Amino acid sequence: MPSLSCKMRIIMEQTQIKRIVLGLTGGIAAYKAAELSRLLMKQDVEVQVAMTEAACHFITPATMQALTGRPVLVNQWDAAENGMAHIDTSRAADAIVIAPATADFIAKLAHGLADDLLSTLCLARDCPLLLAPAMNRQMWANAATQRNIAQLISDGVQVLGPASGMQACGEEGMGRMLEAGELASEITAFLNSAPLSTTLTPTLSRLRERELDCLKILITAGPTYEAIDAVRGITNRSSGKMGYAVAQAALELGADVTLVSGPTSLDRPSGAKVVDVTSAAEMFEAVKQRAEDTNIFIGVAAVADYRVAQPSEQKIKKSESADKLTLELIPNPDILAYVANLPKPPFCVGFAAESENLRGFAAAKRKAKKIPLLAANLAQQAIGSDDNDLILFDDAGEHVLPHADKLTLARALLQHIIRLRKK
Ligand code: CTP
């Protein structure tokens, strides 16, 4: 019979108790940290909370202390017994998780600042650091924040989210912290070094590996605009968000990204080479010049299938006598089909936006274009929205990705591409 202490040790080993430092910074999403700590503890994760002064304005240390059963660290001058709280605390942890991570705190981390207990703890750590960003959509999209995030990712920091949706400020967009349940499952998957999950949130081990390092990825995004005359044209309602999200996800994995973009109002993904084009013909030229020197081509653009045969240089005037105006349209080149038919084509991925019979049309389109992978979505759901549903079609059949924001879907798409290329 094993002794009681031996039994305890066996139980500890079986359940693999993990310890994290949960850092809270000053954002409204701090309230979600209460639920997060509860969920983690339910899964046998020991949680030591550390809060910035600003975080204490959103949730009290007393709440976090009551939930975790441990005194909360706030002040760097309230030192542990030997006065080295910033060192000791991280040494005992398997990871530090900052949730919520504000834009200000992310900037601090990116620059190695250490002017309070939590930032000092992060700088002095010898364990992984995970961040769950939470901020207003403009703050998230700001070039400075994107630069800081890219820097932290390249330093090996793991970034979870953010998600898109309604924000506390009343605006809608990217920057909302992931929900407590999503964070808890990512964190426990990370702590237990789970194999690549099929969840859509950015599984940490994937990001850490930067699996697209040094690979060239060429992406088309947005609509094209085909002139009718000097002021009018034919276009479609693509916002470009999906293509830009694919570019962002590829950058996170270390790829060398070229984004050939039709007219959009989106901020450029920092780190990508962006080639601005207007018409399908211009997009075709830009792709032709680069397609032979790329490893992966992803056609996300909604390319106009036809253009006006003879666009007018001047504005066409209304004619009193004519009761109708006929435009002659001629077909545009199929950019994706051209790339897929090169003698040595890159790995080609297409997108299909359908308004009906999604599965039937998408599967037929993949075959017709002779491409290994096609991502299909319903146009009425996808256009302009931050969220989407995608179905991936490949030789093995179809793979339905759960509803998610476009960046999350883009990350899942890239993981699928990586798996197919490995095969
Ligand atoms: N595509 C392209 N060049 C075109 C038309 C489409 O590269 N002239 C690419 C898109 O970027 C997308 C895929 O082909 O990856 C599917 O585009 P879609 O317009 O849905 O397919 P079409 O072949 O044009 O079929 P249809 O318009 O009849 O649905």
Side-chain angles (χ1 to χ4, degrees):
M1 281 284 282
S3 67
L4 188 63
S5 67
C6 184
K7 268 189 194 161
M8 288 281 289
R9 193 166 50 75
I10 291 168
I11 291 169
M12 291 273 284
E13 278 167 7
Q14 278 170 349
T15 52
Q16 288 187 317
I17 289 188
K18 301 285 183 185
R19 296 176 184 83
I20 65 155
V21 172
L22 177 60
L24 278 64
T25 66
I28 182 63
Y31 76 91
K32 293 185 187 173
E35 177 67 357
L36 175 61
S37 63
R38 208 183 58 78
L39 292 173
L40 288 171
M41 288 170 60
K42 256 173 90 174
Q43 297 188 51
D44 293 315
V45 179
E46 284 182 9
V47 179
Q48 168 64 62
V49 173
M51 296 170 68
T52 62
E53 280 291 332
C56 300
H57 290 275
F58 291 91
I59 187 167
T60 66
T63 304
M64 297 309 295
Q65 179 164 332
L67 286 168
T68 59
R70 287 164 193 276
V72 170
L73 304 170
V74 178
N75 190 329
Q76 68 197 108
W77 310 117
D78 293 342
E81 276 163 39
N82 71 355
M84 289 289 169
H86 63 293
I87 308 279
D88 301 341
T89 312
S90 75
R91 293 295 177 274
D94 294 298
I96 299 179
V97 179
I98 310 293
T102 59
D104 175 66
F105 198 76
I106 286 168
K108 259 192 199 177
L109 291 177
H111 292 89
L113 297 184
D115 61 357
D116 61 10
L117 180 60
L118 188 55
S119 53
T120 310
L121 232 146
C122 291
L123 199 63
R125 78 184 188 282
D126 65 354
C127 61
L129 176 60
L130 284 61
L131 300 181
M135 65 197 75
N136 165 271
R137 67 185 175 92
Q138 294 287 15
M139 292 170 85
W140 173 252
N142 190 292
T145 305
Q146 287 305 309
R147 234 184 0 255
N148 291 334
I149 286 286
Q151 179 61 56
L152 289 171
I153 288 172
S154 82
D155 292 346
V157 173
Q158 317 294 340
V159 180
L160 302 175
S164 118
M166 190 51 84
Q167 305 202 304
C169 53
E171 294 181 9
E172 197 171 346
M174 207 66 179
R176 214 165 50 82
M177 188 167 91
L178 293 184
E179 294 307 324
E182 293 172 295
L183 284 176
S185 54
E186 285 297 348
I187 294 163
T188 47
F190 176 74
L191 292 174
N192 296 312
S193 301
L196 293 188
S197 76
T198 51
T199 62
L200 286 175
T201 39
T203 301
L204 309 164
S205 47
R206 299 174 191 166
L207 291 178
R208 204 173 16 184
E209 282 174 21
R210 291 171 63 83
E211 291 156 295
L212 296 179
D213 246 343
C214 304
L215 283 189
K216 289 188 178 170
I217 302 201
L218 182 59
I219 300 166
T220 64
T224 64
Y225 176 91
E226 313 300 322
I228 295 172
D229 66 13
V231 295
R232 305 179 184 98
I234 299 171
T235 187
N236 55 55
R237 290 173 46 218
S238 165
S239 64
K241 286 179 185 170
M242 191 68 224
Y244 278 55
V246 173
Q248 175 68 40
L251 288 165
E252 286 175 5
L253 293 171
D256 174 352
V257 176
T258 302
L259 180 62
V260 180
S261 174
T264 78
S265 55
L266 302 173
D267 293 327
R268 284 142 192 272
S270 124
K273 294 174 204 121
V274 182
V275 183
D276 290 307
V277 296
T278 303
S279 65
E282 286 172 17
M283 187 172 274
F284 186 41
E285 273 313 306
V287 169
K288 264 203 310 194
Q289 283 172 25
R290 296 163 176 85
E292 283 170 37
D293 184 28
T294 196
N295 302 101
I296 300 173
F297 174 72
I298 310 179
V300 195
V303 186
D305 287 328
Y306 295 89
R307 67 179 183 279
V308 177
Q310 280 175 334
S312 165
E313 275 184 28
Q314 304 304 329
K315 188 178 168 200
I316 300 170
K317 301 305 286 180
K318 203 171 38 233
S319 159
E320 298 288 317
S321 54
D323 62 355
K324 63 177 175 182
L325 175 73
T326 305
L327 291 173
E328 191 191 347
L329 301 179
I330 54 172
N332 271 325
D334 189 321
I335 302 168
L336 177 57
Y338 167 84
V339 179
N341 283 294
L342 284 172
K344 284 189 183 165
F347 185 92
C348 285
V349 183
F351 266 73
E354 307 292 348
S355 59
E356 55 169 348
N357 186 19
L358 181 65
R359 288 182 158 83
F361 285 153
K365 203 167 272 186
R366 188 179 82 87
K367 287 222 167 81
K369 302 220 184 200
K370 298 194 190 101
I371 50 174
L373 180 63
L374 182 128
N377 53 188
L378 276 175
Q380 50 272 46
Q381 261 173 29
I383 292 173
S385 158
D386 287 327
D387 296 350
N388 202 3
D389 291 283
L390 272 190
I391 307 180
L392 307 184
F393 292 84
D394 60 20
D395 285 344
E398 63 171 62
H399 313 266
V400 179
L401 304 183
H403 184 84
D405 64 87
K406 288 182 175 173
L407 182 55
T408 303
L409 289 167
R411 286 170 175 152
L413 171 69
L414 285 171
Q415 288 307 317
H416 200 81
I417 294 172
I418 289 166
R419 281 195 288 275
L420 291 184
R421 285 185 85 242
K422 274 186 190 153
K423 277 188 196 164

